[in-house]
């Protein structure tokens, strides 16, 4: 069973999109609520949105399975990324809406969670680490770019309207100050989208775990509000909106590898 697709590029850039997957094995899908079977918390079309990055020479890793199987951007010990705030876990049992993922009594056991970690989570992370090491060995540096998207209004997770572009660098610690300033300059220099740096989404497990700026390993997360490239209700990709968004994201990636 294919767990992910890895494209190896030539630039010091690895784009990871850990929530792009939509596949839920039949045995798990049969236990989901009707609303969860739509896998609404997918980072819809995010690999498609970032497909142009290959033209820049980026490597790219794209999973096949839904975050409802296992969330690749959570630690295997399931420590909360945002203590004290509503969030979802390693094998989510609650949706971003606050509704349940599973029918009554059908949530995964601890043994099943461990099995999912070994079957789906670990291969992705091993490949991610290996590709980071390969790129770093070749270039002496690497930028790990975490591509994410989310519905812009989710009261269960955050108050009010999420900005269009949400840059996360774990409070400025997961990348060099120079890269931070370049990315913020790009965001400040465009007028199409509002943005925030290290707001509600500061960076998930991957951004927090794999960074090492002192050794030339920078990690950045960009959480995009889905309204700027798709219809949030039907999940349909909007090519016109997406092309506009891609132009800004391209500037960010170019700044990342400058």
């Amino acid at each position: 069973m294919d767990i992910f697709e890895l494209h190896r590029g030539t630039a010091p850039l690895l784009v990871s999109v850990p929530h792009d997957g939509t596949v839920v094995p039949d045995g798990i899908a049969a236990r989901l609520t009707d609303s969860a079977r739509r896998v609404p918390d997918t980072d819809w079309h995010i690999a498609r949105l970032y497909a142009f990055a290959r033209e820049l020479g980026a490597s790219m890793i794209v999973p096949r399975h839904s975050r409802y199987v296992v969330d690749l951007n959570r630690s295997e010990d399931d420590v909360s990324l945002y203590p004290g705030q509503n969030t979802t876990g390693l094998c989510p049992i609650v949706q971003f809406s606050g509704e349940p993922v599973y029918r009554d009594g059908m949530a995964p056991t601890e043994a099943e969670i461990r099995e999912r970690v070994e079957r789906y989570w670990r291969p992705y992370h091993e490949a991610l680490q290996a590709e980071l090491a390969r790129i770093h060995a070749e270039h002496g540096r690497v930028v790990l770019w975490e591509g994410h998207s989310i519905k812009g209004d989710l009261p269960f997770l955050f108050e009010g309207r999420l900005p269009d572009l949400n840059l996360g660098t774990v409070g400025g610690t997961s990348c060099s100050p120079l890269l931070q300033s370049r990315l913020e300059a790009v965001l400040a220099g465009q007028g199409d989208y509002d943005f925030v740096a290290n707001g509600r989404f500061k960076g998930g497990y991957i951004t927090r775990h794999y960074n090492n700026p002192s050794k030339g390993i920078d990690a950045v997360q960009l959480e995009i509000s889905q309204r700027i490239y798709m219809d949030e209700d039907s999940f349909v990709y909007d090519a016109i909106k997406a092309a506009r968004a891609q132009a800004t994201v391209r500037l960010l990636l170019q700044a990342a590898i400058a």
Side-chain angles (χ1 to χ4, degrees):
M1 182 182 295
D2 293 333
I3 304 300
F4 58 85
E5 175 188 347
L6 174 62
H7 166 78
R8 290 188 173 92
T10 57
L13 175 64
L14 172 58
V15 176
S16 164
V17 287
H19 296 150
D20 181 81
T22 58
V23 173
V24 179
D26 292 343
I28 298 175
R31 296 151 55 193
L32 302 186
T33 62
D34 290 343
S35 60
R37 287 185 187 181
R38 298 179 70 221
V39 290
D41 302 334
T42 302
D43 288 14
W44 291 102
H45 313 293
I46 198 69
R48 180 177 179 182
L49 189 75
Y50 274 94
F52 74 88
R54 299 186 184 194
E55 301 169 12
L56 302 178
S59 295
M60 194 166 183
I61 184 167
V62 183
R64 184 167 179 260
H65 293 86
S66 167
R67 73 191 304 156
Y68 285 170
V69 177
V70 68
D71 192 329
L72 299 170
N73 201 30
R74 298 292 186 272
S75 65
E76 61 178 303
D77 60 8
D78 205 14
V79 172
S80 177
L81 293 170
Y82 298 100
Q85 301 182 59
N86 285 340
T87 186
T88 56
L90 178 62
C91 290
I93 59 172
V94 63
Q95 301 176 44
F96 289 170
S97 63
E99 299 173 86
V101 171
Y102 292 89
R103 299 179 185 277
D104 288 346
M106 294 189 177
T109 63
E110 183 60 30
E112 182 182 355
I113 291 171
R114 290 303 104 202
E115 191 275 335
R116 292 190 199 180
V117 166
E118 294 305 319
R119 189 171 188 180
Y120 304 105
W121 187 95
R122 201 168 308 287
Y124 188 88
H125 281 265
E126 288 175 349
L128 181 68
Q129 288 179 277
E131 186 62 8
L132 281 174
R134 182 193 71 81
I135 297 170
H136 189 268
E138 181 174 338
H139 296 277
R141 67 185 181 106
V142 59
V143 176
L144 171 57
W145 190 276
E146 276 288 292
H148 293 263
S149 73
I150 195 169
K151 190 174 181 180
D153 293 278
L154 284 169
F156 179 72
L157 294 183
F158 50 83
E159 294 183 5
R161 172 189 176 280
L162 193 70
D164 298 326
L165 301 173
N166 302 265
L167 185 70
T169 60
V170 197
T173 63
S174 68
C175 72
S176 70
L178 177 59
L179 178 53
Q180 177 89 28
S181 64
R182 283 177 177 167
L183 296 175
E184 291 197 34
V186 170
L187 292 171
Q190 56 80 42
D192 290 333
Y193 307 108
D194 57 1
F195 65 92
V196 67
N198 293 304
R200 171 61 177 85
F201 295 98
K202 297 176 174 61
Y205 172 75
I206 292 174
T207 304
R208 301 180 192 208
H209 183 71
Y210 292 107
N211 76 81
N212 194 339
S214 66
K215 294 187 177 180
I217 304 172
D218 293 313
V220 174
Q221 176 176 297
L222 183 66
E223 188 86 53
I224 298 175
S225 288
Q226 291 173 347
R227 62 174 171 266
I228 75 170
Y229 73 91
M230 58 173 276
D231 182 86
E232 292 182 313
D233 296 319
S234 67
F235 310 144
V236 172
Y237 191 78
D238 187 321
I240 295 175
K241 283 185 176 181
R244 184 182 176 198
Q246 285 172 318
T248 297
V249 177
R250 179 184 288 269
L251 292 176
L252 288 167
L253 292 188
Q254 288 172 329
I257 58 177

